[in-house]
Amino acid sequence: MLSRGLRLFVLASAFFLTVFLITTDRSQAQDSTTAAADEEKPYKIEKDGTVDWATFSGFRRFNSECFVCHGPDGVGSTFAPALIDSLKTMTYEQFLDVVTNGKTEVNTAVQKKMPTFGTNPNVMCYIDDIYAYLKARSDGVLGRGRPAKHAEKSQEAKDAEAACMGS
Ligand code: HEC
């Protein structure tokens, strides 16, 4: 039941992310000369360093659920790869697949296992936030540590969170 619900959620969020990206791209194209550079970015960072809510939320979630293995700020550890490098080539779909279903590296003497997070709402309800944060880090537009300034949490984000955590 739960995993089916989450699966639907994952599909729905992938869909909404796409719609979101298309609409933001469109609105930015009108008032920005760098529309092409902003294309398909899941994060938004103002000139003064203020990050959008998703990126800030992703920072918090990453540093509570993922950093023990992947290192603080996504820089990697001896146990798990640097996600700021992984995301340079990984697609959103591939990222989602690994986090949802896990992955086990079989070619090493010590078995290294990426856990399955598909039924963990503390991860899956914030997966787009984690992706936005890691993508900003990977693109080199966000430094290490806690972002100094962030946008307020929108009512939309609050509603989506409540709906997801309640399912
Ligand atoms: C218990 C340790 C552990 C935790 C916690 C963990 N991971 Fe992993 N993760 C790994 C290991 C080990 C690998 C490498 C597995 C392999 O290559 O087969 C990995 C691989 C990945 C990959 C694929 C990277 C690549 O280059 O192929 C992604 C994406 C990923 N993890 C995301 C996450 C996210 C997001 C979180 C937090 C929600 C997380 N991981 C939490 C251990 C962990």
Side-chain angles (χ1 to χ4, degrees):
M1 269 307 262
L2 182 64
S3 72
R4 183 154 174 265
L6 277 168
R7 217 174 268 272
L8 281 172
F9 166 74
V10 164
L11 282 172
S13 47
F15 171 74
F16 284 120
L17 180 76
T18 312
V19 172
F20 170 73
L21 289 172
I22 289 166
T23 42
T24 25
D25 268 0
R26 224 174 255 161
S27 60
Q28 279 172 358
Q30 289 157 357
D31 58 315
S32 170
T33 48
T34 55
D38 291 342
E39 227 164 60
E40 289 179 34
K41 300 296 183 211
Y43 54 81
K44 193 162 182 354
I45 301 175
E46 307 292 343
K47 284 195 184 74
D48 71 354
T50 304
V51 303
D52 64 324
W53 174 259
T55 303
F56 181 67
S57 165
F59 159 78
R60 293 203 306 191
R61 297 290 159 182
F62 178 86
N63 285 292
S64 74
E65 306 289 344
C66 320
F67 91 100
V68 280
C69 296
H70 288 285
D73 313 310
V75 298
S77 73
T78 51
F79 186 72
L83 295 182
I84 57 172
D85 292 334
S86 301
L87 263 66
K88 287 190 165 76
T89 52
M90 266 188 139
T91 64
Y92 172 77
E93 286 72 24
Q94 289 168 331
F95 172 80
L96 199 57
D97 180 53
V98 175
V99 179
T100 308
N101 303 310
K103 191 181 170 199
T104 305
E105 195 179 326
V106 285
N107 297 326
T108 46
V110 182
Q111 203 190 52
K112 293 180 178 179
K113 198 169 167 13
M114 164 64 191
T116 302
F117 286 102
T119 57
N120 183 340
N122 290 319
V123 172
M124 298 316 290
C125 288
Y126 305 97
I127 195 64
D128 285 354
D129 295 353
I130 296 172
Y131 181 75
Y133 165 71
L134 287 172
K135 199 68 187 165
R137 289 278 303 130
S138 172
D139 285 354
V141 294
L142 184 64
R144 296 191 62 162
R146 181 187 172 98
K149 286 184 275 186
H150 63 82
E152 289 304 311
K153 190 175 187 176
S154 68
Q155 189 57 46
E156 204 182 348
K158 287 178 192 169
D159 292 346
E161 180 179 34
C164 184
M165 294 302 279
S167 67

